[in-house]
Amino acid sequence: MKFLKKVGKQFKKNSIANGVAENIYIQSEASTQSIAAISDAVFKNSLIMIDIEGSEFDLLNEKIF
């Protein structure tokens, strides 16, 4: 968890430096519910980064897309 906090802080710092901080959202957990809660309009214009130890394909399947 300490590593994740450090990465999150660096993402925030870089987004501020690049003037895009208002477009960056860091969530603590990726699940089918959290992905489904993203509106279609936002989802279609987003880059979603997820690291869940090789289970990304279980989460990001045809039902999600």
Side-chain angles (χ1 to χ4, degrees):
M1 190 64 154
K2 191 175 188 178
F3 172 76
L4 292 176
K5 287 183 181 181
K6 185 175 181 180
V7 170
K9 286 180 183 179
Q10 191 61 46
F11 257 83
K12 179 112 174 139
K13 183 179 174 182
N14 288 344
S15 68
I16 291 168
N18 287 295
V20 296
E22 67 278 357
N23 298 321
I24 304 293
Y25 302 95
I26 299 174
Q27 302 290 320
S28 62
E29 181 180 340
S31 67
T32 54
Q33 294 83 12
S34 65
I35 299 294
I38 302 170
S39 72
D40 286 342
V42 171
F43 192 83
K44 289 177 183 178
N45 292 303
S46 297
L47 168 66
I48 299 173
M49 298 173 55
I50 301 170
D51 182 12
I52 50 177
E53 306 303 322
S55 295
E56 292 84 357
F57 290 108
D58 295 332
L59 177 64
L60 302 173
N61 55 42
E62 288 185 22
K63 290 179 186 176
I64 294 292
F65 297 106

